[in-house]
Amino acid sequence: MRQEERRAITRAKIIAAARDRFGNLGFAGTSMDAVAKDANVAKGAVYHHFASKEDLFTQVFEQVSGQLALTVASS
């Protein structure tokens, strides 16, 4: 597996874990440590891909918004 593929997989795991955390616990109830643990990656990996919790939240929000737009468009 190429490094680019590993990066994409790691990033997807982090976003999925964060999406679950933000959805269940909200922004304030979500920590980068918890996201790293849920994604089964080092905390440094989370910060390598996302500069801050706000940056990670923005990515999750954009993913959810995009999926919602596709759902609405296909209805």
Side-chain angles (χ1 to χ4, degrees):
M1 183 180 313
R2 294 178 19 212
Q3 179 146 352
E4 183 177 312
E5 293 167 327
R6 286 192 300 273
R7 271 191 237 140
I9 290 168
T10 299
R11 185 176 173 86
K13 287 172 43 177
I14 293 167
I15 291 173
R19 182 177 175 164
D20 186 54
R21 284 256 167 196
F22 288 133
N24 290 313
L25 302 171
F27 184 83
T30 299
S31 70
M32 296 294 260
D33 286 329
V35 170
K37 182 179 177 194
D38 291 354
N40 198 31
V41 300
K43 183 178 174 180
V46 177
Y47 281 105
H48 175 75
H49 291 278
F50 304 96
S52 65
K53 185 166 81 166
E54 291 81 3
D55 183 35
L56 178 55
F57 181 83
T58 298
Q59 293 300 310
V60 170
F61 180 80
E62 288 176 1
Q63 182 186 69
V64 171
S65 296
Q67 290 171 342
L68 180 60
L70 288 174
T71 300
V72 169
S74 67
S75 297

